[in-house]
Amino acid sequence: GLDNFNFVIFADHGMVNITKVIDFWDPLLKTKLKLGKDYIVFLDSPMARFWFYNENAREIIAELLMDIGHGRILAEEDYAIHKIRFKHDKYWQLVFLADPGVLIHPNFFQMQGEPVKGMHGYDPNYIDNQGIFLLNSPKARSNADVGVIDLVDIFPTVPDLMELPIPKSNQGNSVLGKL
């Protein structure tokens, strides 16, 4: 039956139960800073991204975020570990990442209503935030647990299974090499 077929099943994230909800709007509005003049913010469900027009706004918001707690401002080492350091500030100048299970609400995906009960997008090392990867292939030498894999490893696995070349621009490695 299935001995001659390749199956790859994966999910890019898991789901974390929400245990706490925090509101950023009210504390931000209580500062003397002006949205659009001093800073711009994008409130995602598990993170808040900021851009600043002046250093004073950055300092005030960084202090506010530390006071609110239930998360942390990402540092340079976080950007390096998660491969999200860019040569520009297009995506953010400062990122606040909520602790697993903490939801920023309201946010730009849910401004009203009851907060959702589950969310993803937390630190990828948090086990409940991780997805799943299942592979069945006659090319796999065993039924081994390869442990945690990076999402960038899924793409090269597919052409490897199909005996097609893996593009040189690819950043990951085929999971078949681990089996």
Side-chain angles (χ1 to χ4, degrees):
L2 299 179
D3 294 342
N4 295 322
F5 290 96
N6 293 315
F7 288 101
V8 177
I9 300 171
F10 67 94
D12 65 341
H13 61 76
M15 191 61 68
V16 178
N17 288 329
I18 299 303
T19 57
K20 181 158 188 65
V21 176
I22 57 176
D23 180 357
F24 277 10
W25 280 122
D26 284 341
L28 283 170
L29 294 175
K30 288 179 182 173
T31 70
K32 293 182 180 184
L33 300 174
K34 300 293 181 206
L35 181 62
K37 182 179 178 192
D38 294 310
Y39 71 98
I40 298 173
V41 62
F42 186 89
L43 296 179
D44 201 337
S45 307
M47 71 178 74
R49 292 178 273 170
F50 293 88
W51 297 263
F52 304 99
Y53 292 108
N54 60 70
E55 192 58 33
N56 183 51
R58 177 190 280 274
E59 291 171 11
I60 290 171
I61 288 178
E63 186 175 323
L64 174 70
L65 295 173
M66 293 183 347
D67 288 345
I68 291 173
H70 304 291
R72 62 191 171 87
I73 296 171
L74 295 185
E76 283 301 319
E77 57 264 17
D78 295 308
Y79 298 141
I81 289 168
H82 300 303
K83 300 176 184 166
I84 56 173
R85 171 44 63 215
F86 305 103
K87 296 178 182 177
H88 53 74
D89 292 337
K90 179 179 178 180
Y91 303 117
W92 60 74
Q93 289 177 318
L94 181 147
V95 176
F96 175 89
L97 179 63
D99 292 334
V102 175
L103 178 73
I104 297 170
H105 184 273
N107 59 66
F108 290 144
F109 296 105
Q110 188 183 21
M111 293 298 288
Q112 301 173 25
E114 282 294 311
V116 295
K117 304 282 188 227
M119 184 48 59
H120 58 89
Y122 298 99
D123 189 313
N125 294 320
Y126 185 66
I127 192 73
D128 288 351
N129 195 55
Q130 295 177 355
I132 187 169
F133 178 84
L134 301 171
L135 168 69
N136 180 66
S137 173
K139 294 177 175 55
R141 291 174 274 173
S142 69
N143 290 328
D145 179 348
V146 296
V148 176
I149 65 167
D150 290 324
L151 280 176
V152 295
D153 294 335
I154 294 173
F155 174 78
T157 302
V158 174
D160 198 10
L161 286 168
M162 298 169 65
E163 298 178 359
L164 295 171
I166 298 170
K168 292 185 190 304
S169 62
N170 181 71
Q171 295 179 12
N173 299 300
S174 172
V175 174
L176 289 181
K178 297 180 178 184
L179 297 172

